[in-house]
Amino acid sequence: MTETDPCKREREEMVEFQVRARGVGDRRVLAAMRKIPRHFFVPKGYERAAYEDRPLPIGEGQTISQPYIVAVMTEQLEIKPQDRVLEIGTGSGYQAALLAELAATVISVERLADLADRARKNLARAGVTGVKVVVGDGTEGYPPEAPYDAIIVTAAPPDIPGPLIDQLAEGGRLIAPVGPRDCQDLVKLVKREGRVEKIPLGGVCFVPLIGQFGWRGEGFL
Ligand code: SAH
């Protein structure tokens, strides 16, 4: 963004006090968060709240995550510039915009077509190119572009969907909130020699991941 960006200072303070001070030190992640105008990704009327230390509503009962949680998940993906990354749950497009700063290819799958449309507009307005937003059930992953070096799931399934593990490349990392409807454990999987190592990262609260390999049944599909 240019020097006339009215939110530049708020954004720098967000990175400094909410993210870096709490232990996220990856320089590429911090630079991406300093650059991407988060206020372009929140609904009208919420722009002033975009840099606060909390999640915000983005319509359809969904939320854009708290900046710190976005930072932790992004850092833990250990993205390299040549990587192919899959996001499940495009929402506002903010997380996808950060991923596009860090990786070569970003595919983001969103279940709700209205949110996918809005995310595409938000990304264009922020000048972010190189994110392919796909409407579909992300619990099935996105086989046409698999395998992925990193997969980030930004809605919570009861268990990690099998297709996502299958679509993870050798050496790949997957981050997902996993567990009950309201609050979950953030989990990192690393695929090594075909085996999957599981690393717990702490407690979080995400909206449910709804689909064939996620939450199913009455009221959910
Ligand atoms: N990463 C987003 C926030 C995600 S909110 C951001 O940066 O703004 C969670 C999103 O996951 C919601 O938009 C919800 O519609 C979506 N979602 C839920 N189940 C899904 C599924 N099976 N496939 C794809 N998206 C799903």
Short mmCIF file of all heavy atoms in Angstrom, two decimals, residues 50-97:
data_model
loop_
_atom_site.label_atom_id
_atom_site.label_comp_id
_atom_site.label_asym_id
_atom_site.label_seq_id
_atom_site.Cartn_x
_atom_site.Cartn_y
_atom_site.Cartn_z
N ALA A 50 -10.83 -3.49 12.00
CA ALA A 50 -10.07 -4.51 11.27
C ALA A 50 -8.74 -4.86 11.93
O ALA A 50 -8.24 -5.96 11.75
CB ALA A 50 -9.83 -4.04 9.83
N TYR A 51 -8.16 -3.91 12.68
CA TYR A 51 -6.84 -4.16 13.26
C TYR A 51 -6.90 -4.46 14.76
O TYR A 51 -5.88 -4.49 15.43
CB TYR A 51 -5.91 -2.98 12.94
CG TYR A 51 -5.73 -2.86 11.44
CD1 TYR A 51 -6.48 -1.97 10.68
CD2 TYR A 51 -4.86 -3.72 10.77
CE1 TYR A 51 -6.36 -1.92 9.30
CE2 TYR A 51 -4.73 -3.68 9.40
CZ TYR A 51 -5.48 -2.78 8.66
OH TYR A 51 -5.36 -2.76 7.30
N GLU A 52 -8.13 -4.68 15.26
CA GLU A 52 -8.28 -5.03 16.67
C GLU A 52 -7.94 -6.51 16.89
O GLU A 52 -7.96 -7.31 15.96
CB GLU A 52 -9.71 -4.72 17.14
CG GLU A 52 -9.94 -3.22 17.23
CD GLU A 52 -11.39 -2.88 17.59
OE1 GLU A 52 -12.18 -3.79 17.91
OE2 GLU A 52 -11.71 -1.68 17.52
N ASP A 53 -7.71 -6.81 18.17
CA ASP A 53 -7.21 -8.12 18.58
C ASP A 53 -8.36 -9.12 18.74
O ASP A 53 -8.56 -9.67 19.82
CB ASP A 53 -6.48 -7.91 19.92
CG ASP A 53 -5.71 -9.13 20.37
OD1 ASP A 53 -5.49 -10.04 19.56
OD2 ASP A 53 -5.33 -9.16 21.56
N ARG A 54 -9.15 -9.33 17.68
CA ARG A 54 -10.31 -10.23 17.79
C ARG A 54 -10.80 -10.65 16.41
O ARG A 54 -10.50 -9.99 15.42
CB ARG A 54 -11.45 -9.55 18.54
CG ARG A 54 -11.94 -8.26 17.86
CD ARG A 54 -13.00 -7.58 18.72
NE ARG A 54 -13.41 -6.29 18.20
CZ ARG A 54 -14.61 -6.05 17.67
NH1 ARG A 54 -15.49 -7.01 17.55
NH2 ARG A 54 -14.92 -4.84 17.24
N PRO A 55 -11.57 -11.76 16.37
CA PRO A 55 -12.19 -12.13 15.09
C PRO A 55 -13.33 -11.16 14.80
O PRO A 55 -13.81 -10.47 15.70
CB PRO A 55 -12.74 -13.53 15.36
CG PRO A 55 -12.81 -13.69 16.83
CD PRO A 55 -11.91 -12.67 17.46
N LEU A 56 -13.78 -11.09 13.54
CA LEU A 56 -14.89 -10.20 13.17
C LEU A 56 -15.86 -10.96 12.27
O LEU A 56 -15.46 -11.86 11.53
CB LEU A 56 -14.35 -8.99 12.39
CG LEU A 56 -13.50 -7.99 13.16
CD1 LEU A 56 -12.90 -6.98 12.19
CD2 LEU A 56 -14.33 -7.29 14.22
N PRO A 57 -17.15 -10.59 12.32
CA PRO A 57 -18.12 -11.23 11.44
C PRO A 57 -17.90 -10.82 9.99
O PRO A 57 -17.51 -9.67 9.72
CB PRO A 57 -19.47 -10.69 11.94
CG PRO A 57 -19.14 -9.44 12.67
CD PRO A 57 -17.75 -9.58 13.20
N ILE A 58 -18.08 -11.77 9.05
CA ILE A 58 -17.94 -11.44 7.62
C ILE A 58 -19.21 -11.80 6.84
O ILE A 58 -19.20 -11.86 5.62
CB ILE A 58 -16.73 -12.15 6.99
CG1 ILE A 58 -16.77 -13.67 7.22
CG2 ILE A 58 -15.42 -11.56 7.50
CD1 ILE A 58 -15.73 -14.45 6.42
N GLY A 59 -20.32 -12.05 7.56
CA GLY A 59 -21.58 -12.42 6.91
C GLY A 59 -21.76 -13.92 6.85
O GLY A 59 -20.80 -14.68 7.05
N GLU A 60 -23.01 -14.35 6.61
CA GLU A 60 -23.35 -15.78 6.50
C GLU A 60 -22.98 -16.55 7.77
O GLU A 60 -22.74 -17.76 7.72
CB GLU A 60 -22.65 -16.45 5.30
CG GLU A 60 -22.69 -15.68 4.01
CD GLU A 60 -23.97 -15.90 3.21
OE1 GLU A 60 -24.69 -16.87 3.49
OE2 GLU A 60 -24.24 -15.08 2.32
N GLY A 61 -22.89 -15.85 8.91
CA GLY A 61 -22.55 -16.51 10.17
C GLY A 61 -21.09 -16.91 10.28
O GLY A 61 -20.70 -17.66 11.17
N GLN A 62 -20.23 -16.40 9.38
CA GLN A 62 -18.80 -16.78 9.37
C GLN A 62 -17.95 -15.64 9.93
O GLN A 62 -18.43 -14.53 10.11
CB GLN A 62 -18.38 -17.12 7.94
CG GLN A 62 -19.26 -18.15 7.26
CD GLN A 62 -19.33 -19.47 8.03
OE1 GLN A 62 -18.33 -19.92 8.59
NE2 GLN A 62 -20.50 -20.08 8.08
N THR A 63 -16.68 -15.94 10.20
CA THR A 63 -15.80 -14.92 10.80
C THR A 63 -14.43 -14.91 10.14
O THR A 63 -13.97 -15.93 9.61
CB THR A 63 -15.59 -15.21 12.32
OG1 THR A 63 -15.16 -16.56 12.48
CG2 THR A 63 -16.84 -14.97 13.11
N ILE A 64 -13.80 -13.75 10.17
CA ILE A 64 -12.38 -13.63 9.82
C ILE A 64 -11.64 -13.77 11.16
O ILE A 64 -12.01 -13.14 12.15
CB ILE A 64 -12.08 -12.29 9.11
CG1 ILE A 64 -10.59 -12.10 8.84
CG2 ILE A 64 -12.61 -11.09 9.87
CD1 ILE A 64 -10.29 -10.85 7.97
N SER A 65 -10.61 -14.62 11.20
CA SER A 65 -9.95 -14.93 12.48
C SER A 65 -9.18 -13.75 13.04
O SER A 65 -8.78 -12.84 12.31
CB SER A 65 -8.99 -16.11 12.30
OG SER A 65 -9.67 -17.23 11.81
N GLN A 66 -8.94 -13.82 14.35
CA GLN A 66 -8.09 -12.86 15.05
C GLN A 66 -6.70 -12.82 14.39
O GLN A 66 -6.16 -13.88 14.04
CB GLN A 66 -8.00 -13.38 16.49
CG GLN A 66 -7.15 -12.61 17.44
CD GLN A 66 -6.94 -13.44 18.72
OE1 GLN A 66 -7.30 -14.62 18.79
NE2 GLN A 66 -6.35 -12.81 19.70
N PRO A 67 -6.11 -11.64 14.21
CA PRO A 67 -4.81 -11.55 13.51
C PRO A 67 -3.74 -12.48 14.09
O PRO A 67 -2.99 -13.11 13.34
CB PRO A 67 -4.41 -10.08 13.70
CG PRO A 67 -5.71 -9.35 13.86
CD PRO A 67 -6.65 -10.30 14.55
N TYR A 68 -3.69 -12.60 15.42
CA TYR A 68 -2.65 -13.44 16.03
C TYR A 68 -2.79 -14.91 15.61
O TYR A 68 -1.80 -15.58 15.30
CB TYR A 68 -2.72 -13.32 17.56
CG TYR A 68 -1.86 -14.33 18.27
CD1 TYR A 68 -0.46 -14.29 18.15
CD2 TYR A 68 -2.42 -15.34 19.04
CE1 TYR A 68 0.34 -15.22 18.78
CE2 TYR A 68 -1.62 -16.28 19.69
CZ TYR A 68 -0.25 -16.23 19.55
OH TYR A 68 0.54 -17.15 20.17
N ILE A 69 -4.02 -15.40 15.57
CA ILE A 69 -4.25 -16.80 15.18
C ILE A 69 -3.86 -17.00 13.71
O ILE A 69 -3.23 -18.00 13.33
CB ILE A 69 -5.73 -17.20 15.42
CG1 ILE A 69 -6.06 -17.13 16.92
CG2 ILE A 69 -6.02 -18.59 14.86
CD1 ILE A 69 -5.30 -18.13 17.78
N VAL A 70 -4.22 -16.03 12.86
CA VAL A 70 -3.83 -16.08 11.45
C VAL A 70 -2.30 -16.16 11.35
O VAL A 70 -1.73 -16.96 10.58
CB VAL A 70 -4.35 -14.83 10.69
CG1 VAL A 70 -3.80 -14.78 9.27
CG2 VAL A 70 -5.88 -14.82 10.67
N ALA A 71 -1.62 -15.36 12.16
CA ALA A 71 -0.15 -15.31 12.12
C ALA A 71 0.47 -16.64 12.55
O ALA A 71 1.37 -17.15 11.89
CB ALA A 71 0.35 -14.18 13.04
N VAL A 72 -0.04 -17.19 13.64
CA VAL A 72 0.49 -18.47 14.15
C VAL A 72 0.32 -19.57 13.09
O VAL A 72 1.25 -20.31 12.77
CB VAL A 72 -0.22 -18.89 15.46
CG1 VAL A 72 0.08 -20.34 15.80
CG2 VAL A 72 0.17 -17.97 16.60
N MET A 73 -0.88 -19.64 12.52
CA MET A 73 -1.16 -20.70 11.54
C MET A 73 -0.28 -20.52 10.30
O MET A 73 0.27 -21.49 9.76
CB MET A 73 -2.64 -20.72 11.16
CG MET A 73 -3.52 -21.16 12.33
SD MET A 73 -5.29 -21.02 12.00
CE MET A 73 -5.61 -22.51 11.05
N THR A 74 -0.13 -19.28 9.88
CA THR A 74 0.67 -19.02 8.67
C THR A 74 2.14 -19.35 8.93
O THR A 74 2.79 -20.00 8.09
CB THR A 74 0.52 -17.54 8.25
OG1 THR A 74 -0.86 -17.23 8.16
CG2 THR A 74 1.18 -17.29 6.89
N GLU A 75 2.65 -18.96 10.09
CA GLU A 75 4.06 -19.27 10.41
C GLU A 75 4.29 -20.78 10.45
O GLU A 75 5.27 -21.30 9.92
CB GLU A 75 4.45 -18.64 11.75
CG GLU A 75 5.90 -18.93 12.15
CD GLU A 75 6.30 -18.23 13.43
OE1 GLU A 75 5.65 -18.45 14.46
OE2 GLU A 75 7.28 -17.45 13.39
N GLN A 76 3.34 -21.49 11.07
CA GLN A 76 3.50 -22.93 11.22
C GLN A 76 3.44 -23.69 9.89
O GLN A 76 3.88 -24.82 9.80
CB GLN A 76 2.45 -23.48 12.20
CG GLN A 76 2.70 -23.07 13.64
CD GLN A 76 3.93 -23.72 14.22
OE1 GLN A 76 4.34 -24.80 13.81
NE2 GLN A 76 4.57 -23.05 15.18
N LEU A 77 2.91 -23.05 8.86
CA LEU A 77 2.87 -23.71 7.54
C LEU A 77 4.25 -23.79 6.91
O LEU A 77 4.47 -24.56 5.96
CB LEU A 77 1.92 -22.96 6.59
CG LEU A 77 0.43 -23.15 6.83
CD1 LEU A 77 -0.35 -22.23 5.90
CD2 LEU A 77 0.01 -24.60 6.61
N GLU A 78 5.21 -22.97 7.41
CA GLU A 78 6.61 -22.98 6.92
C GLU A 78 6.67 -22.91 5.39
O GLU A 78 7.31 -23.73 4.73
CB GLU A 78 7.32 -24.26 7.40
CG GLU A 78 7.40 -24.39 8.90
CD GLU A 78 7.97 -25.74 9.32
OE1 GLU A 78 9.04 -26.11 8.79
OE2 GLU A 78 7.34 -26.42 10.13
N ILE A 79 6.01 -21.90 4.84
CA ILE A 79 5.88 -21.78 3.38
C ILE A 79 7.18 -21.28 2.75
O ILE A 79 7.78 -20.31 3.23
CB ILE A 79 4.71 -20.84 3.02
CG1 ILE A 79 3.40 -21.45 3.50
CG2 ILE A 79 4.68 -20.59 1.51
CD1 ILE A 79 2.23 -20.50 3.41
N LYS A 80 7.58 -21.94 1.68
CA LYS A 80 8.74 -21.50 0.88
C LYS A 80 8.22 -20.88 -0.42
O LYS A 80 7.13 -21.23 -0.87
CB LYS A 80 9.66 -22.69 0.60
CG LYS A 80 10.32 -23.23 1.89
CD LYS A 80 11.16 -24.45 1.67
CE LYS A 80 10.36 -25.73 1.48
NZ LYS A 80 9.45 -26.08 2.59
N PRO A 81 9.02 -19.97 -1.02
CA PRO A 81 8.51 -19.22 -2.18
C PRO A 81 8.01 -20.11 -3.32
O PRO A 81 7.13 -19.70 -4.07
CB PRO A 81 9.72 -18.39 -2.62
CG PRO A 81 10.55 -18.24 -1.38
CD PRO A 81 10.36 -19.50 -0.59
N GLN A 82 8.55 -21.30 -3.48
CA GLN A 82 8.14 -22.15 -4.61
C GLN A 82 6.94 -23.05 -4.28
O GLN A 82 6.52 -23.85 -5.11
CB GLN A 82 9.33 -22.98 -5.09
CG GLN A 82 9.80 -24.05 -4.12
CD GLN A 82 10.82 -23.54 -3.08
OE1 GLN A 82 10.94 -22.34 -2.84
NE2 GLN A 82 11.56 -24.44 -2.47
N ASP A 83 6.39 -22.93 -3.06
CA ASP A 83 5.37 -23.89 -2.60
C ASP A 83 4.01 -23.72 -3.28
O ASP A 83 3.63 -22.64 -3.70
CB ASP A 83 5.17 -23.76 -1.09
CG ASP A 83 6.24 -24.50 -0.30
OD1 ASP A 83 7.08 -25.17 -0.92
OD2 ASP A 83 6.23 -24.39 0.95
N ARG A 84 3.28 -24.85 -3.30
CA ARG A 84 1.87 -24.87 -3.71
C ARG A 84 1.06 -25.02 -2.43
O ARG A 84 1.29 -25.95 -1.64
CB ARG A 84 1.60 -26.09 -4.60
CG ARG A 84 2.49 -26.17 -5.81
CD ARG A 84 2.40 -27.54 -6.46
NE ARG A 84 1.03 -27.81 -6.89
CZ ARG A 84 0.48 -27.23 -7.94
NH1 ARG A 84 1.17 -26.36 -8.66
NH2 ARG A 84 -0.74 -27.51 -8.29
N VAL A 85 0.09 -24.11 -2.24
CA VAL A 85 -0.65 -24.07 -0.98
C VAL A 85 -2.15 -24.19 -1.24
O VAL A 85 -2.67 -23.57 -2.17
CB VAL A 85 -0.35 -22.76 -0.21
CG1 VAL A 85 -1.12 -22.71 1.10
CG2 VAL A 85 1.14 -22.62 0.05
N LEU A 86 -2.82 -24.98 -0.41
CA LEU A 86 -4.27 -25.12 -0.47
C LEU A 86 -4.87 -24.59 0.83
O LEU A 86 -4.44 -24.97 1.92
CB LEU A 86 -4.64 -26.60 -0.63
CG LEU A 86 -6.14 -26.93 -0.62
CD1 LEU A 86 -6.84 -26.36 -1.87
CD2 LEU A 86 -6.37 -28.45 -0.55
N GLU A 87 -5.84 -23.68 0.69
CA GLU A 87 -6.61 -23.22 1.85
C GLU A 87 -8.03 -23.75 1.74
O GLU A 87 -8.63 -23.69 0.67
CB GLU A 87 -6.67 -21.69 1.91
CG GLU A 87 -7.52 -21.22 3.09
CD GLU A 87 -7.82 -19.72 3.13
OE1 GLU A 87 -7.92 -19.08 2.06
OE2 GLU A 87 -7.97 -19.19 4.24
N ILE A 88 -8.57 -24.23 2.87
CA ILE A 88 -9.98 -24.63 2.91
C ILE A 88 -10.72 -23.62 3.78
O ILE A 88 -10.39 -23.46 4.96
CB ILE A 88 -10.15 -26.07 3.49
CG1 ILE A 88 -9.25 -27.08 2.76
CG2 ILE A 88 -11.61 -26.47 3.44
CD1 ILE A 88 -9.46 -27.17 1.28
N GLY A 89 -11.71 -22.93 3.18
CA GLY A 89 -12.46 -21.90 3.90
C GLY A 89 -11.94 -20.51 3.54
O GLY A 89 -11.28 -19.85 4.34
N THR A 90 -12.25 -20.04 2.34
CA THR A 90 -11.74 -18.74 1.86
C THR A 90 -12.25 -17.59 2.72
O THR A 90 -11.50 -16.64 2.99
CB THR A 90 -12.21 -18.48 0.40
OG1 THR A 90 -12.00 -19.65 -0.37
CG2 THR A 90 -11.46 -17.31 -0.21
N GLY A 91 -13.52 -17.66 3.12
CA GLY A 91 -14.11 -16.58 3.93
C GLY A 91 -13.95 -15.24 3.26
O GLY A 91 -14.39 -15.04 2.12
N SER A 92 -13.27 -14.32 3.92
CA SER A 92 -13.06 -12.96 3.39
C SER A 92 -11.98 -12.91 2.32
O SER A 92 -11.89 -11.94 1.57
CB SER A 92 -12.63 -12.05 4.54
OG SER A 92 -11.33 -12.41 4.99
N GLY A 93 -11.08 -13.91 2.31
CA GLY A 93 -9.93 -13.88 1.40
C GLY A 93 -8.66 -13.34 2.05
O GLY A 93 -7.59 -13.35 1.44
N TYR A 94 -8.76 -12.90 3.32
CA TYR A 94 -7.58 -12.29 3.96
C TYR A 94 -6.42 -13.29 4.12
O TYR A 94 -5.28 -13.01 3.75
CB TYR A 94 -7.96 -11.72 5.33
CG TYR A 94 -6.78 -11.17 6.10
CD1 TYR A 94 -6.10 -10.05 5.64
CD2 TYR A 94 -6.33 -11.78 7.27
CE1 TYR A 94 -4.99 -9.54 6.34
CE2 TYR A 94 -5.23 -11.29 7.96
CZ TYR A 94 -4.57 -10.17 7.49
OH TYR A 94 -3.47 -9.69 8.18
N GLN A 95 -6.74 -14.47 4.65
CA GLN A 95 -5.69 -15.48 4.82
C GLN A 95 -5.08 -15.85 3.46
O GLN A 95 -3.86 -15.99 3.34
CB GLN A 95 -6.30 -16.73 5.49
CG GLN A 95 -5.37 -17.92 5.58
CD GLN A 95 -4.32 -17.76 6.66
OE1 GLN A 95 -4.62 -17.77 7.85
NE2 GLN A 95 -3.07 -17.61 6.25
N ALA A 96 -5.93 -15.96 2.45
CA ALA A 96 -5.44 -16.31 1.10
C ALA A 96 -4.49 -15.23 0.58
O ALA A 96 -3.49 -15.52 -0.09
CB ALA A 96 -6.62 -16.49 0.15
N ALA A 97 -4.81 -13.97 0.89
CA ALA A 97 -3.95 -12.86 0.44
C ALA A 97 -2.55 -12.99 1.07
O ALA A 97 -1.53 -12.79 0.39
CB ALA A 97 -4.58 -11.52 0.82
#
